């Protein structure tokens, strides 16, 4: 399995913080005012691990009455009633929980989502974000749905400031050649039209696959490009897949990243499916892998 890759909008040279500000301001013009307390959803079913995490992050975890078997973070999410997996749901269980809001993503089973809507349930579907800026916009949208807009704005502001601090800290550093592996069997890289590419650009790196249309690569192609840093964030790393991939690369002792001991494994859940804050945290971690000893100043208030 591999992480999905998403395009990053915005003209070259514009800082990420500026892009976030523009999109967030545009979104706020379209969001309705916070609903009255009595109108806010109090019984929520989440069909996505990321949405579940974000509900808790917004301080509304006690309103979750159902989620999927993949919703395991934070720890409290494990105790919530399960309504199936991300790709296969139990309509009966969802109805039985009497939700006043179902949170879905565009990867949720479309026929089952449509069935929930036909049954009269309120369903709000989010698309997989195209960029860090869109992650922030969607987080604000969720905050408005739950009546937690002020908290959402504070979180987005913190994430944008931390992200901009990394960009500034790495702006004048040498651009190290990086291979960010987001899939195994087949081997898959992060390409330019993806938010994972943004990790490398903002983190002071150069994506060796940045000019490719497809992320599919061969081992021989990676060896020929001779990355200085390899970062592995593939699904299944919690079961040892990431470590196995690291061992495969370390057999190629002539490659610069292997010679210098710079082959690393990161949590794919954080790297490939982040909220605004986990994007910022993953960026900070990746920037320090690209530039060991990097000092990232505290973001300006």
């Amino acid at each position: 399995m591999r992480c999905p890759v998403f395009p990053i909008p915005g003209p070259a040279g514009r800082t990420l913080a500026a892009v976030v500000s523009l999109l967030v301001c545009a979104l706020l013009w379209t969001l309705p005012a916070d609903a009255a307390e009595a109108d806010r959803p109090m019984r929520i079913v989440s069909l996505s691990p990321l949405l579940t995490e974000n509900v808790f992050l917004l301080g509304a975890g006690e309103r979750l009455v159902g989620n999927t078997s993949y919703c395991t973070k934070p720890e409290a999410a494990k105790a919530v009633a399960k309504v199936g997996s991300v790709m296969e749901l139990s309509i009966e269980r969802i109805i039985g929980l009497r939700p006043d809001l179902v949170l879905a993503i565009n990867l949720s089973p479309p026929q089952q989502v449509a069935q929930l809507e036909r049954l009269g349930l309120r369903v709000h579907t989010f698309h997989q974000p195209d960029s860090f800026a869109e992650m922030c916009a969607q987080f604000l949208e969720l905050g408005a749905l739950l009546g937690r807009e002020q908290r959402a704005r504070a979180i987005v502001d913190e994430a944008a400031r931390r992200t901009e601090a990394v960009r500034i800290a790495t702006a004048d550093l040498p651009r190290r050649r990086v291979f960010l592996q987001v899939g195994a069997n087949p081997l898959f890289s992060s390409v330019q039209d993806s938010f994972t590419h943004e990790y490398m650009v903002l983190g002071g790196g150069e994506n060796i696959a940045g000019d490719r249309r497809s992320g599919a690569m061969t081992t021989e192609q990676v060896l020929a490009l001779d990355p200085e840093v390899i970062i592995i964030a593939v699904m299944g790393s919690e079961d040892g897949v990431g470590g196995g991939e690291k061992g495969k690369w370390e057999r190629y002792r002539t490659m610069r990243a292997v010679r210098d001991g710079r082959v690393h494994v990161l949590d794919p859940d954080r790297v490939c499916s982040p909220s605004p804050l986990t994007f910022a945290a993953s960026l900070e971690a990746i920037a320090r892998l690209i530039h060991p000893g990097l000092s990232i100043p505290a973001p300006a208030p």
Side-chain angles (χ1 to χ4, degrees):
M1 297 178 67
R2 62 180 176 86
C3 299
V5 291
F6 310 114
I8 301 171
R14 180 181 292 169
T15 69
L16 190 61
V19 174
V20 171
S21 297
L22 287 172
L23 288 187
V24 166
C25 287
L27 175 70
L28 291 177
W29 278 101
T30 64
L31 286 176
D34 282 353
E37 187 69 37
D39 296 329
R40 292 173 186 169
M42 300 304 294
R43 297 184 62 82
I44 302 168
V45 169
S46 168
L47 306 183
S48 157
L50 179 57
L51 289 173
T52 293
E53 284 190 66
N54 284 344
V55 170
F56 277 98
L57 186 56
L58 287 166
E62 76 284 352
R63 299 193 223 165
L64 275 172
V65 296
N67 63 20
T68 76
S69 57
Y70 289 92
C71 296
T72 59
K73 297 177 183 177
E75 186 69 23
K78 296 179 181 179
V80 177
K82 304 305 175 185
V83 299
S85 67
V86 174
M87 301 305 295
E88 186 174 356
L89 307 171
S90 169
I91 300 297
E92 293 78 11
R93 289 181 192 171
I94 295 174
I95 294 172
L97 293 170
R98 298 178 289 106
D100 49 16
L101 177 64
V102 177
L103 299 174
I105 57 172
N106 60 328
L107 297 179
S108 301
Q111 292 181 337
Q112 292 186 300
V113 170
Q115 185 178 355
L116 292 172
E117 292 174 327
R118 287 195 300 270
L119 290 168
L121 295 182
R122 179 188 178 193
V123 180
H124 192 96
T125 300
F126 290 87
H127 291 274
Q128 294 283 3
D130 291 335
S131 64
F132 171 63
E134 191 168 341
M135 288 174 209
C136 293
Q138 290 192 5
F139 192 77
L140 283 173
E141 186 178 358
L142 179 61
L145 280 172
L146 304 185
R148 291 284 193 270
E149 190 174 22
Q150 185 174 357
R151 182 168 179 141
R153 289 185 187 184
I155 289 171
V156 164
D157 182 60
E158 178 188 348
R161 287 187 288 109
R162 287 173 60 181
T163 300
E164 181 68 359
V166 174
R167 187 194 69 80
I168 292 171
T170 62
D172 297 325
L173 297 178
R175 314 307 285 184
R176 304 300 184 193
R177 297 190 312 280
V178 182
F179 174 55
L180 176 54
Q181 181 182 348
V182 295
N185 301 318
L187 182 64
F188 215 86
S189 64
S190 169
V191 292
Q192 185 169 358
D193 291 337
S194 65
F195 73 76
T196 50
H197 171 78
E198 200 164 9
Y199 286 131
M200 288 171 277
V201 173
L202 295 169
E206 175 187 339
N207 183 2
I208 67 166
D211 59 353
R212 298 178 61 85
R213 286 190 174 185
S214 168
M217 297 185 73
T218 65
T219 299
E220 291 72 23
Q221 287 171 325
V222 176
L223 291 172
L225 291 168
D226 195 22
E228 297 170 82
V229 184
I230 295 176
I231 299 171
I232 302 164
V234 297
M235 296 302 179
S237 289
E238 65 279 4
D239 297 322
V241 174
E245 291 299 303
K246 183 175 187 288
K248 290 179 184 177
W249 290 119
E250 288 177 338
R251 293 202 298 264
Y252 300 100
R253 298 181 181 178
T254 60
M255 188 161 51
R256 177 75 178 271
V258 176
R259 290 203 315 268
D260 294 344
R262 304 193 65 186
V263 182
H264 309 283
V265 179
L266 290 182
D267 181 353
D269 288 337
R270 296 300 181 187
V271 173
C272 300
S273 183
S275 68
L277 282 181
T278 51
F279 179 94
S282 293
L283 174 61
E284 291 163 350
I286 288 171
R288 290 189 173 103
L289 293 179
I290 296 172
H291 295 284
L294 175 69
S295 176
I296 303 173

